[in-house]
Amino acid sequence: HLKAEHLMSFSNDLLNPLESFLRTDVKQALSMQRELERARDVYETLEAKYVHHRRIKGRGSVITNVARASHESMEQQMLGELQVAKARFELNRFGMIQLLNQMESKKKFVLLGSASSGMQAYLNFFRQGYKLLVDHIGLIEEAKNVVLDDLNSFDMQVQRWNEKRIQLESQLHSGAFPFLSKERRMINMSKPMEKVTVHSS
């Protein structure tokens, strides 16, 4: 339960702001970049047409009043479209620069804030874990004492068995054990935990 709360807090404090930054701000920047590129292409295309139209006008030697009026009307229309396209391009470029600067500033406090929140979540997790240990320190010490008692008992048991083995080896070498019948040996083998009875010679 404690681990689940920690993971949820870590996700809310660290991952969610970063995911929101990537989904919202970066996505918006990419969208504005595409819009800026489209506005630039339209502006450059209209600018090239307008310059080409003026060059044709400059090369013309004799044109009628009607043709001149039509040419000037078209030129004014192209100039108007060019000015609109230029304004759109400049506004998009300004918006892109503004957004990039805002993202650069926002990135600092988003990353720093998320990192500090994540560290705070870890700190709370370990603080709760420490409190849990403190609350159960009595049980831990009791379990530790039980383990030590069992370990000492085991060591004493091993020592007693080693002493019995040494005693048995000594008695066997000294001939203290009489030869047992086959039936008696089988009974002894079937009861390995029974206390060995030493027969004096």
Side-chain angles (χ1 to χ4, degrees), residues 136-151:
H136 294 81
I137 191 66
L139 294 176
I140 296 173
E141 290 295 332
E142 182 179 348
K144 182 179 178 181
N145 292 332
V146 171
V147 171
L148 290 176
D149 291 341
D150 290 343
L151 180 59

Side-chain angles (χ1 to χ4, degrees), residues 32-69:
M32 289 192 66
Q33 182 181 7
R34 290 191 293 267
E35 185 67 23
L36 176 62
E37 291 173 353
R38 285 194 292 267
R40 180 201 60 196
D41 293 340
V42 172
Y43 171 56
E44 290 178 349
T45 299
L46 292 177
E47 185 181 35
K49 289 182 178 180
Y50 179 75
V51 171
H52 179 69
H53 183 80
R54 289 183 61 84
R55 286 176 181 174
I56 293 176
K57 176 183 177 181
R59 289 198 300 266
S61 56
V62 178
I63 57 175
T64 64
N65 291 335
V66 175
R68 181 181 296 108

